[in-house]
């Protein structure tokens, strides 16, 4: 049985949308990453979806800004990202290490 994940920190709806949107974009960039991907079609589909997800991310930030939320609570948002496996998901965006041997 898997251990119970830690609870998400309390977030506003816009902050939750920001975190979700950011991770959606990261997942798509991971699929597009030419250093990790294997199939052109999968990368193409991810690139097409990226436009929509980026707009949703923009909209979440716009809502926050319009409400007067001018600063991000980075510690809280980072904790939410970690809870949602953000470290593993963002690692797919980086260039893989060179193979030796």
């Amino acid at each position: 049985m898997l251990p119970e994940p830690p609870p998400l920190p309390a977030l506003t709806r816009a902050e939750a949308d920001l975190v979700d949107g950011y991770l959606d974009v990261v997942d798509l960039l991971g699929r597009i990453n030419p250093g990790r991907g294997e199939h052109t079609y999968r990368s193409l589909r991810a690139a097409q979806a990226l436009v929509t997800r980026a707009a949703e991310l923009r909209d979440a930030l716009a809502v926050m800004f319009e409400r007067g939320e001018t600063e991000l609570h980075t510690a809280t948002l980072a904790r939410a990202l970690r809870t949602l496996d953000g470290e593993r998901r963002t690692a797919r965006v980086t260039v893989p290490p060179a193979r030796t041997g």
Side-chain angles (χ1 to χ4, degrees), residues 36-68:
R36 295 189 183 272
E38 296 178 7
H39 301 288
T40 306
Y41 185 71
R42 181 178 171 154
S43 295
L44 172 62
R45 296 292 301 200
Q48 291 168 335
L50 184 60
V51 176
T52 301
R53 297 295 179 257
E56 291 169 356
L57 179 58
R58 178 205 58 213
D59 293 346
L61 285 163
V63 166
M64 291 175 69
F65 184 77
E66 289 166 4
R67 289 183 181 168

Side-chain angles (χ1 to χ4, degrees), residues 2-22:
L2 293 174
E4 184 71 25
L8 278 172
L11 302 173
T12 67
R13 176 68 174 185
E15 287 174 327
D17 290 345
L18 169 63
V19 169
D20 288 341
Y22 174 76

